Amino acid sequence: MPYYKKIIRIFTRDRISFFLLIINYTFIIFIIYNFAELVQKIRLEEEANTPYEYQKNIELIANDMYNVNSDTVDEIISLGEEYSRYNTRLILYMPVGDGISEFQVDICFNPEELTRESVETFLDTENKNEGVYIGESILPYTFSENDKTFIIIAQDIYEVKGIYQNSSAAGNDQRIAVSYYSLTENGKEKIESKLKENLGMEMYVSFMLGSDEDISTAFAEFGDRLNSLNISWVTSENEVDASYQNFWYKTLNRLSSAGMLIFAFLDCYAVTTMWVMRRKREFLIRKALGAGVTDIIKVLVKDIIKYMIVSVPLFMVMELVYKKTYGEDFNVGEYELLKYIILTAGIFVVFLFSLIGPLISIHKMNPAEGLGGD
Amino acid sequence: MLTLNGITKIYDKDYSKTKVLDNVSLKIEKGELTALMGVSGSGKTTLLNILGGMDRATEGTYDFMDIQVNMLTQSQLNKFRKENVSFVFQNFALMNHFSVFENVELPLLMKNVPRRKRKIKVCAILEQMGILEMKDKLPIHLSGGQKQRCAIARALVSESPLILADEPTGALDRKTSAAIMELFKEMNAAGRTVIIVTHDRNVAEACNRILYISDGKVCEEK
Ligand SMILES: Nc1ncnc2c1ncn2[C@@H]1O[C@H](COP(=O)(O)OP(=O)(O)O)[C@@H](O)[C@H]1O
Ligand SMILES: [Mg+2]
């Protein structure tokens, strides 16, 4: 018999169990993995002493942006510094003209140094094979040589192929992207003039900022800083504190994850029990031939591992699709190890516990009754 | 080799007690080929199960060589079966999702025989049984005779000293059952103790000792 056929036989011995188990195990691993990720996130939150969610909106209403000056820019930037470690958006709303339109400054604090990818995802530049397209706000950081324009992004030199003027994704949006890392006086002026230029218009300004400052100290002082701002941000009544959302979001997230985990456990238990009961005769035969509990455990664990070999890659595909749909990164960075330890331990515990019931019932089976007789 | 002393078996189920074996005492010597006869429901399978350590007697003692089987714990009984007894079950008891080869390999697998050695042994036995070409087939694709050969091959491969066969020729035609009986005789000639439960007089006649069981008592014929 050819080798591949043997392998197929091993997996499809009991086709119903095979498909049922593969599907269920894949989901179970998926659920445990996402639970592990949540635990990882919680650890990160504790580490930063602040809610860690994918995005946090802090909305401030600015009464008066007509007096935009370089102080305004400084304030915006210093606010940015304080949040720069988080995936945070600081949105400044300002009534414009008749008060119906609004001027929105949307500051995305990018925790990382400006990289080609971060620039690209920010819609400001567009990757072309021959070079990059950049937004006009990064123009100050370009340099020219031999009639060509270049920009250094994260130590790589790219040729600038084109410049977007007020590039916009949706109608009246106008974006400026600024790399705080390389912000110079020139850059500050650029922002200032951009703000002034567009006063009275509907506008959407994005700042991309980064910082090395120790954020836990900066964040602790954030409340004081807000109150002491000398420009006319109205913060107290109109500030939409993100923490309310975080609390419910977090609680819901944790509850549903715990619920899913229980569901996964019950599912695993039911499926494993069914699977073992389908094989009752086989185990009776094994017992009759002298198999002890350890022999049975060996058989079961071996088979579970076999199913895992199929389930784990399936889970990976599923996770990838899931992450892609939600636009999340596969990589959360720190605490990767913790996540994988929880994943492995979780799978181990769930499968081990799901084996207890079936093992007891196998242990109770009497081969003399199941097999003998006329 | 094995001695039963005052073995009584009572099935206690649903408030009704059935005394299947009543104070049975029996001695079987090493190398004997014994037939066990009796009408249906007389307790042949029950006696075989007790001899094979698969079931426990309600009363009485059972000695197998120097092992006092009735004193063994459940896990010791498992080990006892693994090491000393080969069963040929009435209904073949083959694992349906496993190939002929895997079915026959099972006792060796449980004795932790290395892979290469298993393969050599199993193929040799299958060859001897004349079903080597069926080794990758599933039991459902086998005829009754082939299934029986497969079940016997599994009993043979582990080389245990006691072979218990429960109506091994029950489902077979005359010619095949004669061939199967030859196999048992061969095994017996190789020094193994064989006990065969049968309804068939021809089969019993081929053995060198016939026991008859009725009303829970075992008596000698001849
Ligand atoms: N597990 C059991 N529980 C209750 N009664 C049983 C059980 N096994 C067998 N019996 C009864 O014991 C008697 C003998 O059964 P068995 O040993 O299978 O007979 P045989 O193999 O000679 O046909 C039968 O009356 C049967 O109903
Ligand atoms: Mg019977």
Side-chain angles (χ1 to χ4, degrees):
Chain A
M1 183 145 75
Y3 211 66
Y4 75 91
K5 263 194 172 173
K6 258 185 194 164
I7 291 174
I8 291 173
R9 159 83 63 87
I10 287 172
F11 282 109
T12 57
R13 209 162 250 159
D14 178 358
R15 242 159 276 169
I16 295 175
S17 294
F18 176 75
F19 287 114
L20 201 95
L21 260 70
I22 292 296
I23 292 167
N24 280 281
Y25 284 1
T26 307
F27 268 98
I28 289 160
I29 300 172
F30 179 75
I31 290 168
I32 296 174
Y33 178 83
N34 282 286
F35 179 79
E37 236 179 27
L38 182 81
V39 175
Q40 185 192 24
K41 272 189 211 167
I42 292 170
R43 282 295 304 133
L44 276 166
E45 275 176 21
E46 281 167 4
E47 165 101 333
N49 195 22
T50 181
Y52 178 95
E53 297 302 343
Y54 280 100
Q55 198 165 63
K56 178 174 171 176
N57 290 344
I58 291 174
E59 298 180 6
L60 302 163
I61 307 262
N63 274 343
D64 179 16
M65 268 297 263
Y66 288 91
N67 305 317
V68 168
N69 53 34
S70 63
D71 281 348
T72 321
V73 177
D74 277 342
E75 285 303 335
I76 292 172
I77 288 163
S78 62
L79 270 176
E81 265 181 348
E82 290 173 31
Y83 285 95
S84 59
R85 280 271 197 87
Y86 310 93
N87 289 312
T88 306
R89 287 168 74 207
L90 176 63
I91 301 169
L92 310 173
Y93 292 107
M94 283 177 290
V96 172
D98 53 9
I100 296 168
S101 315
E102 61 192 19
F103 180 97
Q104 184 184 341
V105 182
D106 183 1
I107 306 179
C108 287
F109 303 102
N110 193 334
E112 281 138 35
E113 199 177 341
L114 189 66
T115 62
R116 181 180 181 148
E117 286 76 24
S118 64
V119 171
E120 279 160 9
T121 44
F122 218 69
L123 293 172
D124 215 28
T125 62
E126 191 175 285
N127 180 22
K128 293 277 155 65
N129 282 338
E130 326 85 59
V132 291
Y133 285 75
I134 59 167
E136 55 175 341
S137 57
I138 333 183
L139 208 51
Y141 317 114
T142 58
F143 59 95
S144 296
E145 236 170 58
N146 306 331
D147 292 340
K148 283 180 178 166
T149 309
F150 297 94
I151 186 165
I152 300 177
I153 303 171
Q155 279 132 37
D156 291 325
I157 300 177
Y158 299 94
E159 192 189 338
V160 176
K161 280 289 172 184
I163 296 157
Y164 289 125
Q165 298 274 337
N166 291 337
S167 75
S168 138
N172 51 16
D173 277 8
Q174 299 179 50
R175 287 162 179 269
I176 313 172
V178 176
S179 158
Y180 178 69
Y181 270 97
S182 44
L183 196 65
T184 57
E185 276 307 312
N186 195 358
K188 277 192 184 178
E189 277 163 29
K190 188 86 187 167
I191 299 171
E192 195 182 324
S193 65
K194 186 83 191 170
L195 290 172
K196 281 180 172 166
E197 208 174 280
N198 291 288
L199 278 179
M201 288 166 61
E202 271 184 69
M203 184 180 161
Y204 186 73
V205 191
S206 300
F207 294 87
M208 197 148 67
L209 301 164
S211 168
D212 286 331
E213 195 181 315
D214 176 20
I215 201 61
S216 48
T217 45
F219 199 78
E221 293 164 359
F222 175 63
D224 298 341
R225 281 221 14 97
L226 271 185
N227 292 331
S228 65
L229 283 179
N230 54 7
I231 49 167
S232 52
W233 309 114
V234 177
T235 57
S236 49
E237 313 109 73
N238 299 307
E239 176 189 340
V240 184
D241 188 0
S243 56
Y244 84 96
Q245 155 201 336
N246 279 329
F247 175 76
W248 288 111
Y249 179 66
K250 221 160 58 188
T251 310
L252 217 75
N253 202 339
R254 283 174 195 190
L255 276 179
S256 64
S257 287
M260 289 292 265
L261 202 66
I262 292 168
F263 174 77
F265 176 74
L266 290 178
D267 180 54
C268 190
Y269 195 87
V271 168
T272 310
T273 307
M274 196 221 78
W275 169 56
V276 171
M277 284 306 114
R278 273 181 69 82
R279 295 174 67 174
K280 186 178 170 192
R281 212 180 105 86
E282 181 199 325
F283 288 120
L284 278 173
I285 293 167
R286 286 179 190 271
K287 274 192 87 171
L289 296 185
V293 178
T294 41
D295 294 299
I296 304 281
I297 291 176
K298 249 195 260 171
V299 172
L300 287 176
V301 170
K302 235 168 146 180
D303 277 8
I304 287 179
I305 289 171
K306 204 174 71 188
Y307 288 123
M308 287 285 180
I309 290 171
V310 182
S311 287
V312 168
L314 266 177
F315 144 74
M316 284 170 150
V317 172
M318 206 166 135
E319 182 67 23
L320 196 72
V321 171
Y322 174 78
K323 284 282 157 76
K324 282 263 178 268
T325 0
Y326 285 91
E328 285 175 18
D329 249 340
F330 224 165
N331 203 339
V332 188
E334 274 177 271
Y335 291 106
E336 280 297 283
L337 189 64
L338 177 76
K339 182 168 80 184
Y340 287 111
I341 289 172
I342 292 174
L343 179 66
T344 320
I347 290 173
F348 200 72
V349 167
V350 167
F351 281 85
L352 213 70
F353 272 92
S354 74
L355 275 182
I356 291 175
L359 271 174
I360 289 172
S361 62
I362 293 176
H363 186 68
K364 278 187 187 157
M365 287 177 193
N366 183 356
E369 282 177 32
L371 290 174
D374 289 303
Chain B
M1 177 160 109
L2 56 89
T3 316
L4 297 182
N5 214 332
I7 290 287
T8 300
K9 176 72 186 177
I10 298 167
Y11 282 115
D12 193 354
K13 248 189 183 168
D14 306 332
Y15 307 107
S16 69
K17 287 188 180 182
T18 341
K19 198 178 222 178
V20 182
L21 298 176
D22 185 7
N23 200 8
V24 172
S25 297
L26 185 66
K27 221 177 164 94
I28 290 175
E29 295 305 328
K30 189 171 171 8
E32 273 188 333
L33 175 58
T34 309
L36 184 60
M37 294 190 77
V39 295
S40 194
S42 56
K44 305 183 295 292
T45 302
T46 305
L47 181 59
L48 221 54
N49 285 342
I50 289 170
L51 288 172
M54 204 143 74
D55 209 352
R56 287 170 188 279
T58 318
E59 261 173 58
T61 60
Y62 169 26
D63 294 288
F64 181 92
M65 296 200 278
D66 51 359
I67 306 165
Q68 208 178 343
V69 180
N70 55 303
M71 299 299 279
L72 297 182
T73 64
Q74 195 54 50
S75 63
Q76 284 170 328
L77 266 183
N78 291 341
K79 192 160 168 267
F80 168 77
R81 283 203 300 275
K82 186 151 67 173
E83 285 168 1
N84 298 305
V85 190
S86 288
F87 285 96
V88 179
F89 294 97
Q90 199 163 1
N91 43 16
F92 317 128
L94 298 174
M95 301 186 293
N96 294 330
H97 297 303
F98 293 78
S99 69
V100 168
F101 183 93
E102 288 165 322
N103 266 288
V104 175
E105 191 188 23
L106 188 62
L108 300 181
L109 213 68
M110 285 193 307
K111 284 184 178 174
N112 295 322
V113 177
R115 196 188 154 83
R116 283 178 62 113
K117 223 171 168 183
R118 287 203 305 264
K119 193 168 175 178
I120 295 167
K121 269 190 155 178
V122 171
C123 286
I125 290 284
L126 290 177
E127 172 95 79
Q128 195 188 339
M129 291 289 135
I131 48 169
L132 185 60
E133 68 274 23
M134 315 295 273
K135 78 180 169 64
D136 294 322
K137 291 229 159 65
L138 294 177
I140 41 163
H141 300 304
L142 301 184
S143 70
Q146 286 166 333
K147 275 186 200 169
Q148 191 59 279
R149 281 160 193 273
C150 180
I152 293 170
R154 186 178 61 192
L156 281 186
V157 81
S158 58
E159 292 176 357
S160 38
L162 178 64
I163 294 170
L164 302 173
D166 200 347
E167 302 196 25
T169 59
L172 306 179
D173 60 73
R174 194 145 257 224
K175 198 167 146 244
T176 325
S177 64
I180 296 283
M181 267 321 283
E182 279 311 307
L183 284 172
F184 281 112
K185 279 185 162 174
E186 252 173 63
M187 289 182 231
N188 182 241
R192 302 212 218 169
T193 312
V194 182
I195 302 173
I196 301 173
V197 166
T198 186
H199 281 303
D200 189 341
R201 270 237 87 81
N202 296 319
V203 169
E205 231 93 271
C207 301
N208 45 37
R209 184 178 173 191
I210 301 175
L211 294 174
Y212 202 85
I213 179 166
S214 75
D215 298 331
K217 303 275 185 196
V218 176
C219 55
E220 204 94 18
E221 246 198 32
K222 272 184 193 173

